[in-house]
Structures are given as C-alpha cells and as structure tokens.
Amino acid sequence: MVTFHLLDWIWLIAFMVLMIGCGVIFYRLGKRSQSDFFLAGRGLPWWLPASSVYATHTATDTPIWVTGVIYKYGLAGIWYTFFAAWCAVSAFISTRIFRRSLAYTQAEWQSLRFGGLGGELLRGWVAGWQVFMNMFILGWVGMAMGKVCFFAFGWPLWVGLTSFSVVCAIYVLAAGYWGVIMADFLQGIIAFSAIVIVSVWQIVAAGGPGEIVAKLMATGEGWRLDPFAFSGWFEGDFPIAWFLTMMVIAIVGGIGMGTSMDWYVEAQRIQSAKTVRDASYSIWGGTALVLVRNSIWAVAILGFFALNPNIAEMKDYEMGWFQMAFEYLPAGMLGFFAAAILAIHLSTISTHLNLGAMYVTRDLYHHYINPQASEQKLVWVGRVATIVLLLGSFMYGLMMEKITEWLIFAIWIMAAGVWLPNILQVIWWRFNSWGYLSSWVANLSLSWLIVWVLPELGVIPKLADYQQFWLLVFLMALIYIPVTYLTKPENMDHLVRYYVMSRPIGWWGPVRAEAEKRGLLSNE
C-alpha cells in the first residue's frame, strides 16, 4: 500500500487543477463550431499535434503492455512496439494525402475516395466501427488505471476505472479538442519527464546497468540483453519470420490509411495542423518521442526482471514498472509520479472521448440524420456523444483482465485482414468500395475464428500471432480481389475529383490521364 505525504498531495492536486483549467480557459474557443470542437480550427503549428501524438500514445496501459512483452521476451520484446514506426513512413506519404483531402475523419475520407452507395456504406461502417473501438480503447485504458489504483491504494477496480475518466471528461466537454490538445502538451512534458526520471531511478535501484547485466548473466538469462535473440526461422518465441513480419507491417503499412488502429487518432492530429508540412512534421516528431520512450522503459523493465526473475503469470509481472516506482521512489516524488500517471491516463482518455464523439457528430448525426444542423447544435451533439462514450467505456473496461492479450489482439489481428486493403485504397485506382467493404465484413468474423474459436474447438492448432496475421492477409485476399474485379470500378468523375484534391501515389495512371485531359492537372 502506498502512503502519500503532504508534498505528494500538492503535486497531485496541482496537476488536477491545471487540467481542469484547460477546459475553462479554452471553453470559448471550443464552443464556436465543430471545426473548433474537433480540430482546433485546423490552425495548429506542428509541435502541438506532435506533443499530442506522443501524449496520446503514452497511456496507463502502455507501460503495462511494454512491461509484459519485455519481461516475457527480454529486450527482443521492444520490437513489439516498433509498429509505431509506420508513422515515420506515413509522415511523408499518407499523411500528406489525407491532409490535402480536408476530411474530418477517416470515415469521411472513405466517401471522398469511394463514391455511390458503396462509399456511403463505408462511411457509415467505419464511423460505427470507430465509435465501438474508441469505447473499447477507453475501456482497456480505464481498466489499466483501475489496476494501478488497486495495486497502489487497494481501491476496487471500478473506482480507478471510472473516477479519473470522469474528471477528464470535464475539460473535454468544456473545450473539446482545444482542451485535449493543450492538456496533451502539458501532459506530454510531465509524462516524458517522469518516465525518464522514474526509469533512471529504477535502474539505479536495481544496481545500475552493470549490475543488471551481471545479475542476468549469473542466472543464465543473458540472452534477454540481445534485441536480436532469434529463436530460429519459425520456431520459438522470437522467430525471424515474426521479426520480418513486424518490419513489413511497420514500413509498408505507413503507405496506407488505417493499417494500424492508431491511424485514426493520428488522422485527427493531421487535420488539426495548419498546413500539409505541419501535419507531416507532427507525425514524425511524435513518433520519434514514442520510440525513445520505449527504449528507456525497456532498460528499466530489465532491471525489474533482474530483481524479480521468477514471476510466471503475465497478470503479475505486467505491473512491474509501476511496482518498482512505488517501492523505490522517496516521499514527495511519489506525488510527482502519481501526477505523471494521471497525465498519461488523461491524455489518452481525452483523445478517444473527443475522437469518438467526432465520428458520432460528423459522420453519423450530421451526415445521415441532420445535414442542416447549426454549428452550435453540432457542438452540443458532440458533448452528448462524449458522455455516451464515457459510459460505454466503463462497461467494456469491466470485461477486461489481461491488458496485454487484449492489446496485442486489437493491434495485430483485428486489423490484419484489412491491412493490405488499407494500402490498396491509397495506391490503386481500381480498388473499389465493394472490395474494401467485403474485406472489413469478412475480417471481423474470420479474425475471431482464427484466433479464438477454431483453436478452441481443435480444428486448427493455436498459431503464433505473426502466423495469424499472414493467414488472415491471405484469406482476405481470396475474398476482396475477386469482389473488386467482379464489380464496377468507381465512377471516373468521382475519382478525378479525388485525385486532383489529394494527389495520391501509386497506380493511378488512367485517372491522372483523365484529369490532364480535362485540364485539371499539368501534364508536365
């Protein structure tokens, strides 16, 4: 049980007042229009959305997840976090294409890329999917906070799950994305400083780098220090085939849109930047901070392993980074650490509350239900949607126990079948809405069958996650490629409008030629 002293409480209360203050200060800006409430008026310099990219991807569940894979696989587990490198590629390809489109959301972009009934169905599908996913993400991040509060203070899980998310909702309801982005900037500074300070403190507590290495070597665990400790081409916990899969996902995936569940969050940051260049820099800068953070965490977690080498259950060692901090930080520093935990928690909660509300407001309510709604009414719809998302997240959070398993499933498998279609929609003019929609529908059922149902029934063996990924990629291709060729191409007028506006890369020859023929592009 953690005991707070006066200075600890001062740190914590000061941070809470600061965050709520963001909602009060920026309330006037957030209430003006849906553009302000959801995108801060599209006028942000690159460093503000960059700090938000970092802050949002530093959630309460993140150190739990990173601890889980580093403790289990050693330093090689850091490659599990390398999927974030897709942003580095995206920054100069799909980020620019998406920013030029001026779409508020990925769902809206679908109706710009695809036309007719198929485009409309996709917009509704992606919007509904994102409403669900944002509640799902809010649930597991909230449950991560519930675990931290239970570990530190003995609170019931539901108290940590709900209490701080409710506080966060105050400034999100008040100022919308303005409150999110300014709070993220402050939270990013606090979180990064705390991660560095606390991790270094933990490394020193474990005896320093030399002692950590010595302890691992003495116990026969020296292989954990090797980030390339391959267990073979296909066998073991860290096969080369898995490593190559991660490289392909991270690098090639950056060309597409929606290849990672994180893309939808980044899309909001991209559209809030004031120029295409600012959007590009924001994604690049935010990703760099994420990768640096992961490296610092990894060393501290190795220190935890050196001190606690025989923990077998994932649910016990997932809390390792937090456990080290609570055990070794002195009075006064505990409050600063608690404020940092709140910072990394609130930054993610606020983002997904506002992002999910944007899909409800822009893509469902405004597009399908009330196209004539005033800007003020749309802001109020956004606030109501925020409350609904918050309540839904509590339900999902209470369903989750093993954070790492849920996160790996959501990051890898639930997006596996649409990974290649998400790239094809960017680079290939002939790929149409029916091919894309068929891949989505089929993937949702097949992913559960491949990962959970068929292995449980003994129909297929339980596959490694990289094997599940490639199997789903192959099975989905057998569905969406025939569907694409058996249905008509998108309307050429629609494709030309999209091409001139967004200037995508890849195989767009017929569309570009038509645009040049109409005098909409220079043929130089």
Side-chain angles (χ1 to χ4, degrees), residues 21-149:
C22 286
V24 175
I25 293 170
F26 292 97
Y27 171 77
R28 180 179 58 83
L29 297 179
K31 72 175 184 177
R32 296 183 303 190
S33 67
Q34 65 169 328
S35 175
D36 287 301
F37 194 79
F38 293 122
L39 295 177
R42 299 186 194 265
L44 300 179
W46 71 269
W47 48 272
L48 271 174
S51 65
S52 185
V53 168
Y54 167 75
T56 299
H57 295 303
T58 311
T60 324
D61 67 300
T62 316
I64 294 176
W65 176 50
V66 175
T67 300
V69 294
I70 296 296
Y71 193 99
K72 185 175 182 179
Y73 301 114
L75 201 56
I78 197 69
W79 295 109
Y80 262 102
T81 71
F82 191 72
F83 72 90
W86 70 264
C87 295
V89 178
S90 169
F92 300 101
I93 301 177
S94 53
T95 290
R96 293 175 177 268
I97 296 169
F98 185 72
R99 180 61 180 84
R100 293 186 193 113
S101 76
L102 297 179
Y104 273 64
T105 65
Q106 180 67 24
E108 183 176 354
W109 184 85
Q110 301 299 154
S111 63
L112 297 176
R113 167 62 177 86
F114 303 110
L117 177 62
E120 287 300 316
L121 289 174
L122 272 173
R123 183 167 185 172
W125 176 275
V126 174
W129 170 250
Q130 276 304 294
V131 172
F132 159 72
M133 276 303 297
N134 279 282
M135 282 194 290
F136 183 80
I137 293 167
L138 286 164
W140 88 47
V141 173
M143 180 50 69
M145 177 56 88
K147 286 192 170 189
V148 171
C149 291

Side-chain angles (χ1 to χ4, degrees), residues 470-484:
W470 287 117
L471 179 57
L472 285 168
V473 168
F474 173 73
L475 291 176
M476 290 304 106
L478 296 180
I479 295 171
Y480 63 75
I481 291 178
V483 170
T484 298

Side-chain angles (χ1 to χ4, degrees), residues 39-279:
L39 295 177
R42 299 186 194 265
L44 300 179
W46 71 269
W47 48 272
L48 271 174
S51 65
S52 185
V53 168
Y54 167 75
T56 299
H57 295 303
T58 311
T60 324
D61 67 300
T62 316
I64 294 176
W65 176 50
V66 175
T67 300
V69 294
I70 296 296
Y71 193 99
K72 185 175 182 179
Y73 301 114
L75 201 56
I78 197 69
W79 295 109
Y80 262 102
T81 71
F82 191 72
F83 72 90
W86 70 264
C87 295
V89 178
S90 169
F92 300 101
I93 301 177
S94 53
T95 290
R96 293 175 177 268
I97 296 169
F98 185 72
R99 180 61 180 84
R100 293 186 193 113
S101 76
L102 297 179
Y104 273 64
T105 65
Q106 180 67 24
E108 183 176 354
W109 184 85
Q110 301 299 154
S111 63
L112 297 176
R113 167 62 177 86
F114 303 110
L117 177 62
E120 287 300 316
L121 289 174
L122 272 173
R123 183 167 185 172
W125 176 275
V126 174
W129 170 250
Q130 276 304 294
V131 172
F132 159 72
M133 276 303 297
N134 279 282
M135 282 194 290
F136 183 80
I137 293 167
L138 286 164
W140 88 47
V141 173
M143 180 50 69
M145 177 56 88
K147 286 192 170 189
V148 171
C149 291
F150 174 77
F151 177 83
F153 307 112
W155 296 353
L157 289 176
W158 69 267
V159 175
L161 167 67
T162 60
S163 56
F164 298 110
S165 294
V166 169
V167 171
C168 178
I170 294 174
Y171 69 82
V172 178
L173 285 167
Y177 188 70
W178 274 109
V180 172
I181 202 75
M182 298 311 299
D184 274 0
F185 176 67
L186 298 172
Q187 290 160 355
I189 295 173
I190 294 170
F192 192 83
S193 300
I195 287 169
V196 172
I197 293 170
V198 172
S199 296
V200 170
W201 201 287
Q202 292 179 9
I203 292 168
V204 172
E211 185 65 20
I212 292 172
V213 171
K215 288 179 179 177
L216 291 175
M217 298 298 290
T219 56
E221 300 289 339
W223 62 270
R224 294 184 177 275
L225 301 169
D226 183 5
F228 299 99
F230 299 121
S231 55
W233 276 99
F234 298 101
E235 61 275 3
D237 288 336
F238 189 48
I240 296 174
W242 176 91
F243 175 76
L244 295 176
T245 297
M246 182 59 70
M247 296 302 101
V248 170
I249 292 174
I251 296 171
V252 180
I255 299 172
M257 295 183 188
T259 53
S260 166
M261 69 173 185
D262 292 330
W263 163 262
Y264 301 92
V265 175
E266 315 301 12
Q268 188 179 23
R269 274 82 195 134
I270 290 166
Q271 290 296 355
S272 69
K274 63 182 178 180
T275 66
V276 173
R277 177 176 293 183
D278 282 281

Side-chain angles (χ1 to χ4, degrees), residues 443-502:
N443 181 69
L444 287 179
S445 57
L446 284 177
S447 62
W448 285 91
L449 286 173
I450 296 299
V451 176
W452 306 108
V453 179
L454 295 181
E456 184 68 23
L457 296 175
V459 177
I460 62 173
K462 185 170 178 58
L463 303 173
D465 46 19
Y466 77 92
Q467 294 171 327
Q468 294 167 350
F469 177 86
W470 287 117
L471 179 57
L472 285 168
V473 168
F474 173 73
L475 291 176
M476 290 304 106
L478 296 180
I479 295 171
Y480 63 75
I481 291 178
V483 170
T484 298
Y485 278 110
L486 290 172
T487 52
K488 293 180 180 180
E490 297 296 327
N491 178 272
M492 184 56 71
D493 291 338
H494 185 91
L495 289 175
V496 167
R497 285 195 298 271
Y498 166 74
Y499 185 89
V500 172
M501 174 178 57
S502 297

